[in-house]
Amino acid sequence: MNRSMVRYLLAKLLLIEAGLLTVPLFVALIYHEDWQAFASLLTTMGILGLLGLTGSAFKPKNYRIYTKEGMLIVALCWILWSFFGALPFVFSGQIPSLVDAFFEVSSGFTTTGATILPDVSVLSHALLFWRSFTHLIGGMGVLVFALAIMENSKNAHLEVMRAEVPGPVFGKVVSKLKNTAQILYIIYLGMFAIFAVILWSCGMPFYDSVITAMGGAGTGGFAVYNDSIAHYHSSLITVIVSIGTLIFGVNFNLYYFLLIRKFKIFFGDEELRTYLSIVAIATGLIFLNIFHLYGSWAQSLRYSFFEVSNVITTTGFGITDLTKWPLFSQVILLVLMIIGGSAGSTAGGFKVMRSLIVSKITKNQILKTLYPNRVMSLHVNHSPLDKATQHSVLKYLTVYAMIFIGLILLISLDNNDFIIVVSAVASTFNNIGPMLGTADTFAIFSPWAKFLMSLAMIAGRLEIYPVLLLFIPKTWSKY
């Protein structure tokens, strides 16, 4: 293993995080916040700067890295960024517990949106901004962002991006990987800016519109107020947020094809059609199931579409009390939590593409029992899917299910409510945010459970394997 290259790249990444902390520092200046907010940010920047400069002072002799190093860099980067990103909250005293702060920032970078804060008003403007800014950074990927601005390191970019970008198949929109990262981030930030402007034009205060747009673009769901989108009492804002989060749950590669006017690729994408079909069916079923609660088709449809859009994209903005909904609707939302958004989007979950592939494999196996001599092929977007990819999806499903069940067993030691435990695991492991049941925040769990769910959030965002490798002794061997 090329440990010197791992150390060098991690040091560079810590310097990037130090640079990103200048943004909330600027927010603190705008709102004339007290010295404690400044000091917490400056101290964290100093620590990151010292570690980053020390670690990057000696360049490695060999810049070559392979899959193992790429996986380690991605996993360690997300854990380190979450740890150091939590320090301003601890130093300022606004979240005194390091475990709680680590949970909150892990939730931010992984765009989960789960929180331990019963009242977000305890946070200053600067730290509330930093909390949501982690959504914007983590949405497209911490390493994708770094790749867009870092110098080339031979094949290093390929391995780290392959390890971080969600989905069963890794692809580039242009031949050069660095250019792919830059294009995707330009599209992403452009869509975020448009989203923020639209919310502002709908009557939302400017600061609120930026915070909400960061939560929507990153499909994370951190908001300015405890009652989230419901605070604004606006049907228009509710619909705009529903549509906005749904848009960010689409594979961003498709938006590139849309920009270069390859409309057939965009509208013909099978995952996109499946994604929109799931949203339409789930919205219709929930609408019929909750209509009696509200007595208004417009309000029932608006609430149904909002919750479906926010849950399948793993955003987690809130508008109503889901515990008052019928169990049928809650189960549908729980299924959507697991499915998640599209591959290559900012959404979490198992991914629509994987669900589509598994359903096709299942269909082929059923037909195989009827026609044992028939040769079955599997196509996605009119292209055959090779056996290696099919097997990797099934293996991922197996690992995913085993870890999901294991997390439920462990968290059940901390809480006796079945719905709370299952939805808490589904929420964190699938990067969704809200829980079903009677609990409002994750503060009800013990420190060890919150730490475990923090790792679950990072593992879920990185699609398990990079984090699992950290706990395998062979990973750290020289060969």
Side-chain angles (χ1 to χ4, degrees), residues 195-274:
F195 192 20
V197 169
I198 291 173
L199 289 171
W200 186 32
S201 65
C202 290
M204 189 179 282
F206 181 74
Y207 178 83
D208 294 21
S209 66
V210 173
I211 295 291
T212 305
M214 287 193 291
T219 59
F222 280 156
V224 181
Y225 303 99
N226 286 343
D227 51 355
S228 193
I229 304 302
H231 177 84
Y232 303 101
H233 304 288
S234 170
S235 299
L236 179 59
I237 288 175
T238 300
V239 173
I240 293 298
V241 170
S242 303
I243 296 171
T245 54
L246 202 63
I247 288 171
F248 282 98
V250 173
N251 189 328
F252 272 75
N253 287 4
L254 292 180
Y255 292 130
Y256 172 75
F257 293 124
L258 194 63
L259 284 175
I260 61 174
R261 299 188 177 185
K262 291 188 176 181
F263 302 117
K264 188 175 180 180
I265 295 177
F266 181 86
F267 292 106
D269 186 74
E270 193 171 359
E271 184 185 28
L272 175 64
R273 296 200 305 270
T274 304

Side-chain angles (χ1 to χ4, degrees), residues 349-380:
F350 186 67
K351 298 293 180 299
V352 173
M353 178 58 83
R354 284 199 182 93
S355 301
L356 181 62
I357 292 171
V358 169
S359 67
K360 289 192 173 191
I361 292 172
T362 304
K363 178 185 174 182
N364 280 2
Q365 287 300 112
I366 293 172
L367 290 174
K368 194 74 174 175
T369 61
L370 296 175
Y371 311 101
N373 296 322
R374 183 175 174 182
V375 177
M376 299 289 181
S377 60
L378 193 153
H379 290 73
V380 176

